[in-house]
Amino acid sequence: MLKIFRIFLVATAAILISIVGTLYALVRLRHPSSVGVVARWFGSLHKLMGIKLITRKKPEINYPVVYIGNHQNNYDMATISSMVAENTVSIGKKSLIWIPFFGLVYWATGNIFIHREKRSSAIETMNKAGQIVKERQVSVWMFPEGTRSRGRGLLPFKTGAFHLAISAGVPIVPVVCSNLHNKIDLNRRDNGIVICEMLEPIDTSSYSRENVKELMEKCHQIMLTKFEELNQEVEQLEKAKNA
């Protein structure tokens, strides 16, 4: 019964956020800050799911960067979305626009679509995003794994986010969320603790297209280490809570 009630509440709230968010973004003429505002509205859904969300941000970042986050499952909408900063747009696959309600708000808030199956389109999109970063002085959010990990840990990264950071001449800021796989049962009142943490910026000035994979591997290792640390911290916090 609790699961049905929660699904109804979350779905209703998500639809309302999408509708209000679309109107809000259009009134603001698709200003890039609308993305962060609406993303944080979605992030508030964690309360309806029985999740205690701990967020650790770095408010001192007031310059363009490329944020990279780990992509786990559909519950990212209520967890890591809370970490999207002001003046940030995201890059997502073109098929997102066909998701009822969400696709419309994703477009209206000014995010950038990419045709993932076409390499030429992906390269053009990264070049376009690089120009947007330079001209509008905005940040970009990407999921470098390219797909949901669904309990497979941190998947190998694709190079797009790293080419973008190098071409735009901006740092990379990793954002890591603790494990969500098999974490949430909507029939359970308390679904425990989830921690999302923003890490220190990684300078990209010494990298080029020739050694982009070194940058990619460095970021992957940093995020993997933090992912494991956060999972251990969550385990300790939940043991202390239940003691």
Side-chain angles (χ1 to χ4, degrees):
M1 186 65 184
L2 178 58
K3 182 176 182 178
I4 295 172
F5 181 63
R6 268 191 172 144
I7 290 174
F8 173 77
L9 275 183
V10 171
T12 301
I15 290 171
L16 287 174
I17 290 171
S18 296
I19 294 172
V20 174
T22 298
L23 296 174
Y24 172 79
L26 291 177
V27 167
R28 300 189 73 196
L29 303 177
R30 303 181 74 202
H31 191 281
S33 284
S34 299
V35 177
V37 171
V38 176
R40 290 189 293 276
W41 289 352
F42 276 109
S44 66
L45 294 176
H46 72 271
K47 299 173 184 176
L48 299 180
M49 299 177 184
I51 301 170
K52 180 182 178 182
L53 182 64
I54 299 172
T55 58
R56 298 167 181 162
K57 302 182 182 180
K58 294 199 173 299
E60 68 272 16
I61 297 176
N62 55 5
Y63 46 85
V65 301
V66 173
Y67 293 99
I68 55 173
N70 57 324
H71 197 12
Q72 300 187 65
N73 54 36
N74 290 338
Y75 293 117
D76 289 342
M77 177 182 69
T79 52
I80 202 168
S81 64
S82 298
M83 303 295 288
V84 179
E86 292 292 325
N87 211 39
T88 300
V89 297
S90 72
I91 295 180
K93 56 186 180 181
K94 205 168 187 178
S95 58
L96 288 173
I97 200 169
W98 301 113
I99 300 176
F101 299 104
F102 179 79
L104 185 58
V105 73
Y106 193 82
W107 167 81
T109 46
N111 293 293
I112 302 169
F113 290 98
I114 183 172
H115 199 314
R116 195 167 62 187
E117 287 74 22
K118 292 186 177 180
R119 179 172 174 81
S120 60
S121 174
I123 292 172
E124 288 174 9
T125 301
M126 291 305 158
N127 290 335
K128 175 185 174 183
Q131 288 300 315
I132 290 173
V133 170
K134 292 177 181 177
E135 293 172 5
R136 302 185 191 175
Q137 290 294 290
V138 298
S139 297
V140 174
W141 179 287
M142 294 186 70
F143 290 114
E145 294 162 282
T147 189
R148 299 174 184 87
S149 59
R150 300 187 187 280
R152 292 171 288 174
L154 189 66
L155 299 181
F157 288 169
K158 299 182 183 300
T159 59
F162 308 96
H163 279 299
L164 171 57
I166 290 170
S167 65
V170 299
I172 289 175
V173 177
V175 182
V176 183
C177 187
S178 61
N179 182 51
L180 296 174
H181 183 62
N182 290 334
K183 172 84 176 178
I184 300 164
D185 180 354
L186 295 180
N187 234 358
R188 186 170 54 211
R189 176 177 291 184
D190 184 356
N191 280 303
I193 299 167
V194 173
I195 304 174
C196 292
E197 184 170 339
M198 188 175 290
L199 309 187
E200 293 294 332
I202 298 170
D203 181 35
T204 63
S205 61
S206 61
Y207 294 93
S208 65
R209 293 186 181 277
E210 284 67 39
N211 61 352
V212 66
K213 288 190 176 180
E214 292 179 21
L215 174 62
M216 182 175 67
E217 290 166 3
K218 176 181 179 179
C219 292
H220 189 279
Q221 187 56 52
I222 288 172
M223 290 181 69
L224 180 59
T225 299
K226 177 54 66 173
F227 182 64
E228 293 170 350
E229 288 176 358
L230 291 180
N231 291 337
Q232 291 175 5
E233 183 179 353
V234 166
E235 185 178 351
Q236 292 169 358
L237 288 172
E238 291 187 338
K239 281 182 179 178
K241 184 179 71 172
N242 298 325

